[in-house]
Amino acid sequence: MAGREDGNRRQRTPAGPGPAWAEELLDHLRPAGRDVRRVVGWLAGAVDGSVALQDAAGNLIAGTRLPLDEGLVTDITAGRIASAAWESRERHQRLVRVEHPSHTCVLAVSRETPFDRRAADVVTHTAQVIELLLTARESTAAGHRLRRATADLRLAILQLLMVEDTVAARRVAAGLWPGLLDAETACVYVVESDAGVRDRIAEECLDSTGEDALVVRCPAMDGHVIVVSPRDTTGETLRSLVGRHPDIYLGGSVRQSLARTATAYGQAVSALAVARFRPDKTAVYAERTHPERLMDPGALRGWTARVLRPLDTLPHHTRAELLATTRLGLEFTAVSAAKVLGVSRNTVRARMERVETLLGTDFADLTARAVVHLALNTRIGLPDAPFPDGTRNSPLRLSDLLSGPAVRTWARDLLGRLDADARNPRRTLRTWITAGGNAERAAQTLGMHPQTVREHVRSAEPVLERRLIAAGTDLYEVVLAHLAVGDLDLPALRRHD
């Protein structure tokens, strides 16, 4: 029987006499050297032969394929014998059983000269080292699969919370984290780091929060870790973690109901923008006056019911799916919303287009986005508010809600902050909103460079204390302020305004 003369024989590094070969072999157990293929290559050089490591089915795991006696291989893998020797005039072979957590392997060594005591010892001890490495690799792989499955489960729970399915989220979480989501409210935190260290930061978040928080690697932003927790102590725990690292930041939401996890997430991301400029690198969303809080709750809810009424004819699960997707799609980009929901971006766009059709509006219009966003947030924020007499079917329109003294005063005060700037960023911002947030189209209207438009919009952000470049609640509040003071026309909505 003739074996191949190439393959791992080329890695010939003859082991020294006495214990030298044992020291070389043990080096392969060090953390930096745990590679079965390297051990097999070392063995080939140590005994001046060819080596094959294969499983019971004949699949080559490492080394060079050798012609072997199938009967001997079967006896070894079946456990009838632990080792065997075979020889001809040209070749000498040793076969040794190598135990594996899931199946038995055979280590076969072939060489031209007979096996002396030293060579036989090298083969036997190498088989033991390979057995240890295979067991360790299997354990490592099993641990990785478990961690991956647990991470996927955490993401699934977050996705259920994002679409307001708190019942299913609690049911899924109960198996691994009993009691975690029993509370009615929670805060959402976002920890930002470089993408390269995100996994390590996520593990530290898990270790520091224990069973008190849902820790998820953000599917949309590579450097973000999302933490959802009903515990008051989680914020301080995460601030301590941020203090231990030079280049990570923390943004937190105010306490929200679990059904408003998407809203809380938006608040945490908004706070993160502020945290980047804070000495302690942390910030909590500043609770401020929102325009919907200045409107009559009953009238606002009645208007919301009329706006969203076209969706009431849909099956409950379809309606809930469309509403939840649209809320996220208006708060974030379609791509980010898709990653958070675990669906394709085309699915997000298709659902939002269906809502556009049902509501008779166009989401390319920022004013339409802001108005629908107001209705969706009202549906979540005032789900049980009573309808005062006559408000359920009241003919009140959005213009009536926005023309209230409190809302108009708020809007004038907010936009009035921009009047002191001689560059007139208020006009730029208004034109940019009319252009759907497109700097190029706004620049053509204003007769300026697109970069100048972007600079004006960015300079308005710290003055208004709201993010504008990124779509979301901050931008939509500014749009509503423009509508309230009459700087922008109200958008078209089918039969409702």
Side-chain angles (χ1 to χ4, degrees):
M1 183 182 296
R4 289 173 58 184
E5 299 300 323
D6 54 357
N8 55 19
R9 286 196 60 188
R10 295 177 183 173
Q11 303 178 38
R12 185 177 301 172
T13 53
W21 65 265
E23 293 178 5
E24 293 176 13
L25 180 57
L26 289 175
D27 280 339
H28 289 284
L29 289 176
R30 299 181 187 277
R34 294 175 183 172
D35 187 331
V36 170
R37 291 182 177 84
R38 288 180 57 188
V39 174
V40 168
W42 173 86
L43 176 60
V47 299
D48 191 17
S50 297
V51 182
L53 178 66
Q54 67 180 52
D55 60 20
N59 299 310
L60 187 67
I61 299 173
T64 305
R65 186 169 293 281
L66 299 174
L68 303 175
D69 185 286
E70 293 185 4
L72 289 177
V73 172
T74 301
D75 286 343
I76 290 175
T77 56
R80 287 187 285 271
I81 57 177
S83 62
W86 182 93
E87 63 181 45
S88 67
R89 291 182 179 179
E90 294 85 12
R91 306 299 299 173
H92 300 264
Q93 291 184 347
R94 286 290 177 98
L95 290 80
V96 181
R97 183 170 71 239
V98 176
E99 296 293 342
H100 186 274
S102 57
H103 54 273
T104 300
C105 298
V106 175
L107 177 68
V109 182
S110 177
R111 67 184 216 159
E112 297 174 355
T113 57
F115 284 82
D116 54 18
R117 183 178 182 82
R118 172 191 166 280
D121 285 345
V122 172
V123 172
T124 300
H125 285 85
T126 302
Q128 294 171 352
V129 168
I130 291 175
E131 185 174 307
L132 290 172
L133 293 178
L134 290 177
T135 301
R137 187 169 69 179
E138 184 76 8
S139 299
T140 300
H144 177 73
R145 289 193 297 270
L146 178 60
R147 287 191 296 273
R148 180 69 262 175
T150 305
D152 289 345
L153 186 59
R154 292 193 190 96
L155 175 58
I157 294 169
L158 176 66
Q159 289 170 339
L160 288 170
L161 291 174
M162 286 289 196
V163 297
E164 305 164 26
D165 195 346
T166 57
V167 174
R170 286 187 173 115
R171 186 182 300 123
V172 175
L176 288 179
W177 303 282
L180 174 61
L181 299 180
D182 285 352
E184 294 298 324
T185 62
C187 291
V188 174
Y189 303 90
V190 176
V191 181
E192 182 180 68
S193 66
D194 289 334
V197 300
R198 198 260 296 265
D199 286 348
R200 177 167 59 85
I201 298 301
E203 290 300 321
E204 288 196 41
C205 289
L206 283 167
D207 292 341
S208 60
T209 59
E211 302 293 316
D212 291 340
L214 178 69
V215 179
V216 180
R217 292 165 176 82
C218 179
M221 300 295 292
D222 291 340
H224 287 187
V225 177
I226 302 170
V227 181
V228 182
S229 177
R231 313 287 187 257
D232 292 331
T233 57
T234 301
E236 189 57 40
T237 299
L238 294 176
R239 279 188 283 272
S240 297
L241 184 149
V242 170
R244 297 195 298 269
H245 296 274
D247 298 318
I248 68 174
Y249 305 91
L250 174 68
S253 74
V254 296
R255 186 167 288 275
Q256 299 279 5
S257 68
L258 289 180
R260 300 198 69 182
T261 298
T263 298
Y265 172 60
Q267 291 181 348
V269 172
S270 180
L272 192 61
V274 177
R276 297 187 188 105
F277 302 98
R278 292 276 185 86
D280 61 355
K281 302 175 297 176
T282 69
V284 174
Y285 183 77
E287 194 61 284
R288 58 183 181 242
T289 300
H290 300 285
E292 62 267 27
R293 297 183 181 178
L294 303 175
M295 303 174 189
D296 178 81
L300 177 59
R301 188 167 178 243
W303 170 82
T304 296
R306 293 197 309 278
V307 169
L308 301 180
R309 187 170 295 158
L311 283 77
D312 293 344
T313 59
L314 301 174
H316 176 74
H317 71 281
T318 301
R319 180 177 183 272
E321 183 178 74
L322 291 179
L323 290 174
T325 301
T326 302
R327 283 190 72 231
L328 285 175
L330 293 176
E331 196 70 43
F332 312 108
T333 65
V335 173
S336 295
K339 290 179 179 179
V340 170
L341 291 171
V343 298
S344 72
R345 60 184 177 183
N346 289 335
T347 298
V348 171
R349 288 172 178 146
R351 291 175 183 174
M352 294 183 69
E353 286 172 3
R354 187 174 181 187
V355 172
E356 282 180 296
T357 301
L358 288 168
L359 300 185
T361 192
D362 181 4
F363 286 155
D365 183 349
L366 279 179
T367 60
R369 293 174 72 92
V371 169
V372 175
H373 183 268
L374 172 65
L376 294 176
N377 273 357
T378 300
R379 174 185 166 273
I380 293 297
L382 298 171
D384 301 317
F387 285 108
D389 292 342
T391 58
R392 179 186 292 272
N393 298 307
S394 170
L396 280 176
R397 298 175 177 271
L398 178 63
S399 56
D400 300 317
L401 297 174
L402 292 175
S403 62
V407 177
R408 290 180 63 84
T409 298
W410 164 82
R412 284 195 297 266
D413 289 346
L414 178 65
L415 299 179
R417 301 178 192 175
L418 299 174
D419 294 340
D421 193 326
R423 298 175 303 167
N424 200 358
R426 182 168 174 174
R427 182 190 64 167
T428 305
L429 179 58
R430 179 175 64 249
T431 307
W432 178 77
I433 292 172
T434 302
N438 186 288
E440 284 73 18
R441 290 203 300 268
Q444 290 177 356
T445 302
L446 294 167
M448 60 177 61
H449 195 280
Q451 186 58 33
T452 304
V453 173
R454 297 187 187 97
E455 290 173 359
H456 282 198
V457 174
R458 288 196 181 95
S459 68
E461 290 185 324
V463 178
L464 300 177
E465 298 179 330
R466 285 163 173 81
R467 294 187 310 150
L468 302 175
I469 297 297
T473 300
D474 285 2
L475 172 60
Y476 300 142
E477 287 188 358
V478 173
V479 173
L480 290 178
H482 280 84
L483 294 175
V485 299
D487 283 357
L488 293 174
D489 295 330
L490 292 171
L493 283 174
R494 181 176 296 163
R495 298 189 306 274
H496 308 301
D497 283 306

